[in-house]
Amino acid sequence: MTALPSARGAARAMQAGVDALVVVLCVLVAAGGGVPAALGAAFAFVYAVGRFALGGVVRSEARPAVRPAVLGWAGLLTALAVAAALAAPAGLWLAFPVFLVQLHVLPAVAGVVAVAATTAVTVAVGTSRTGASAGAVLGPVIGAAVCVGVVLGVRAVIAEAEERRLLLQDLVEARSVLAERERADAVVAERERLAREIHDTLAQGLTSIELVLRAADVALAGGDLARARDLVATARTAAAENLAEARAFVRGLPSPLVRAGLADALTTLAARTTERTGLAVDVRTSGDVHPLPEQVEQALWRVAQQALANTAEHAGARRATVTLSYLGDAVALDVVDDGRGFDPAAGRAAGRGRGLAGMSARVEELGGTLHVESTTGAGTAVAAEVPV
């Protein structure tokens, strides 16, 4: 990632200022006279070589370790400036670009020390030539102080911009990690949803068909061809219904039964369960029956379907009761059977109970709750409540 525009802009502006200052001061030194032309030209040449060969005086990136070549360049410019000051009063002007070079190429403390030393030499040269006047002392001192303030201020701005750049880089990386984690979580959630839908449609339908065909096989073994034909016809009907459920799932539509209303769908489900498994199922409603949001009806329908399938397959029950209660700001569904019951905690510990986990996930997605109460030998009660 490149430096922030503010850091690059400050560095470029400062570099341009230093370059302009060197040009102007070299012109002033040449115009002032007394300084050998070769000495002035050598100063300008050394500055230009270092300026372009060493990457410039001012840098916007994080400050690297000081290289020997840079130290040699700054030292040579300092020596040439001192020589020019000794040659003539006009040579003192070259001390100011040297201050800037020292402050930029050296660490902060070392740069200030170098500027102070160069200032002391400049003041000594000036006072030895003209005496201890205010101009000879205050001119170099004030110039050095201004250079120190400006350069340290710019370096502080550049350092702050660099810190902001690093913070922004960390933020971008953190957002990338967060986005990848959210994507992975979304993939897992979608897989869970697909597994739940497949379990509640294809798996339940195939289980029902398998039970009916098993009964048809028993009827055939007993010579009851009429009963066997009826059971095969029931299995075919179940297969067609299961195919319709699967197609609705793929298209993102509710179960075909639910489209007619939840109460009617539960009545149909009870009749089919009784026909295919022999489990007697009663459906009861309480409260003011009214249409519910589609997702609520679909979730409660799946809960009832799964609960009755579990009862028929595992509970050994003779009777089950499905109660749909309209509670005003909520709707409740209870499925109670008189089967053998089980220990819910033991089932979860053994890693079983995908059906129960799926029911709970459906209800919780709608902000509802699902409770399962069961005791071995005393039946099972599944209670779901969803706000509407």
Side-chain angles (χ1 to χ4, degrees):
M1 180 179 292
T2 58
L4 291 174
S6 58
R8 293 200 306 266
R12 289 173 180 173
M14 191 67 179
Q15 181 66 72
V18 173
D19 294 341
L21 180 64
V22 170
V23 172
V24 171
L25 293 180
C26 285
V27 172
L28 290 177
V29 169
V35 177
L39 188 59
F43 183 91
F45 176 77
V46 171
Y47 176 83
V49 170
R51 161 74 171 82
F52 294 103
L54 301 177
V57 179
V58 185
R59 298 181 299 280
S60 61
E61 68 272 12
R63 178 172 295 274
V66 179
R67 293 174 294 169
V70 175
L71 289 177
W73 176 57
L76 182 56
L77 286 176
T78 302
L80 290 172
V82 171
L86 291 173
L92 293 174
W93 291 108
L94 295 181
F96 295 102
V98 169
F99 293 158
L100 296 175
V101 170
Q102 292 172 339
L103 290 168
H104 278 295
V105 303
L106 295 174
V109 175
V112 172
V113 171
V115 168
T118 304
T119 302
V121 172
T122 303
V123 170
V125 171
T127 55
S128 66
R129 182 180 294 111
T130 62
S133 63
V137 176
L138 293 181
V141 171
I142 293 176
V146 170
C147 290
V148 169
V150 171
V151 173
L152 293 185
V154 172
R155 286 180 61 174
V157 170
I158 294 175
E160 182 180 356
E162 178 68 13
E163 183 179 359
R164 290 173 56 196
R165 183 188 70 83
L166 295 176
L167 289 176
L168 286 176
Q169 180 177 348
D170 292 342
L171 177 60
V172 170
E173 292 175 354
R175 289 180 62 182
S176 299
V177 172
L178 180 60
E180 180 63 23
R181 185 173 302 172
E182 289 178 347
R183 189 194 69 81
D185 292 343
V187 170
V188 172
E190 182 63 11
R191 287 176 178 172
E192 289 290 335
R193 187 188 71 84
L194 291 175
R196 186 171 67 232
E197 293 293 343
I198 291 173
H199 178 273
D200 291 348
T201 54
L202 298 178
Q204 290 296 337
L206 292 174
T207 299
S208 176
I209 293 170
E210 193 274 336
L211 292 174
V212 173
L213 291 178
R214 186 185 302 174
D217 188 56
V218 173
L220 283 175
D224 190 350
L225 296 180
R227 173 64 176 166
R229 290 193 187 96
D230 290 341
L231 290 172
V232 171
T234 301
R236 293 178 61 184
T237 301
E241 293 168 354
N242 196 40
L243 180 60
E245 290 271 1
R247 287 172 175 168
F249 156 61
V250 170
R251 296 172 182 172
L253 300 174
S255 170
L257 284 179
V258 179
R259 297 174 198 172
L262 181 57
D264 291 340
L266 293 177
T267 300
T268 303
L269 174 63
R272 290 179 178 178
T273 302
T274 300
E275 178 185 2
R276 295 169 186 174
T277 66
L279 175 67
V281 182
D282 296 328
V283 177
R284 303 172 182 174
T285 60
S286 65
D288 182 17
V289 179
H290 57 273
L292 299 170
E294 180 181 287
Q295 62 270 28
V296 173
E297 292 190 338
Q298 179 72 7
L300 293 179
W301 152 258
R302 292 299 186 195
V303 169
Q305 184 184 42
Q306 180 64 55
L308 290 177
N310 288 347
T311 299
E313 186 175 357
H314 305 296
R318 292 173 298 176
R319 179 173 295 279
T321 301
V322 178
T323 304
L324 181 63
S325 304
Y326 293 83
L327 307 176
D329 60 350
V331 60
L333 177 75
D334 299 286
V335 181
V336 181
D337 66 61
D338 60 356
R340 65 175 64 96
F342 69 103
D343 183 356
R348 287 192 295 269
R352 299 190 297 270
R354 173 176 287 275
L356 292 176
M359 289 190 288
S360 180
R362 287 183 183 277
V363 173
E364 289 175 358
E365 284 177 358
L366 298 176
T369 58
L370 184 134
H371 300 284
V372 179
E373 297 181 2
S374 183
T375 304
T376 303
T380 301
V382 177
E385 183 174 329
V386 178
V388 294

